[in-house]
Amino acid sequence: VGGSITAGSNYGTFAAGASHLYHQKLLSALNALYPVRGGHTLHNGGVPGTGPTYMEHCVHDHLPAHPDLLIIDYAVNTDRNPASFERLLRTLLMLPRSPALIVANAHRWRAIRPHDARTDKCWHPKWPVDMANNRTQWAAQMWGSVRDASDALNADEDAIAALCSHYKVPLVSLRGAVLESVRSGSLGIPTFMRDCKHPKGEGHTFLAQLVRPHTF
């Protein structure tokens, strides 16, 4: 369950392009490694443009009858309301048969806005992000380097991580996996992101690679 990243609104849910989505990549790997007659079943409960404030009230309408594994994607859709994510998490933890639960955090990338030099704005694909040669742009990715600094673009992600730690739910983080590579310039944001929130196929591959060790 999740927002547009899980739903695949950039590719067309369950259309030909849906094979680029992280959960479709996981399904392909699962079917290849552990084949069953007819293949394993995937249910996409993502709803574009929504967050846990919506899903906490109607998650049962977006789940199959007896799921074995649930992946939650809301790092860029929590909208400063982590309490709603916590209520959703508690609902899923109390489901009958206790399905396995994993939280997959994508990340909202930022860059210096050309016309006013602000560093707290969502990256736009038209903006240059040469981290290797432009240290000013590098500074836009300084999450975690200044003690007690507030970072609105990361606050929801950090709150989700704290809740996962509290409830002992496995969490994978795109930010945690590639931030240093982005800062150093060895991995360009445009190579794996369509815009500041939505990954390209390469970004979905990163998410799938992060989730897989926790599943099979």
Side-chain angles (χ1 to χ4, degrees), residues 79-98:
D79 298 328
R80 316 285 176 84
N81 193 353
S84 64
F85 180 88
E86 181 176 16
R87 289 189 291 270
L88 172 63
L89 194 64
R90 289 170 62 90
T91 297
L92 296 176
L93 287 170
M94 293 187 291
L95 286 174
R97 303 191 183 189
S98 301

Side-chain angles (χ1 to χ4, degrees), residues 150-214:
S150 62
D151 186 341
L153 293 185
N154 289 304
D156 287 343
E157 199 171 340
D158 295 338
I160 288 173
L163 288 168
C164 288
S165 176
H166 177 75
Y167 289 101
K168 297 180 173 56
V169 173
L171 165 76
V172 299
S173 167
L174 184 61
R175 176 183 70 183
V178 305
L179 181 63
E180 290 306 320
S181 296
V182 170
R183 282 174 168 170
S184 69
S186 61
L187 178 65
I189 296 174
T191 64
F192 66 99
M193 296 296 294
R194 293 176 67 89
D195 53 43
C196 71
K197 296 181 182 181
H198 301 95
K200 290 181 176 179
E202 293 83 351
H204 279 276
T205 296
F206 293 163
L207 283 171
Q209 290 171 333
L210 291 169
V211 172
R212 181 180 164 182
H214 294 275

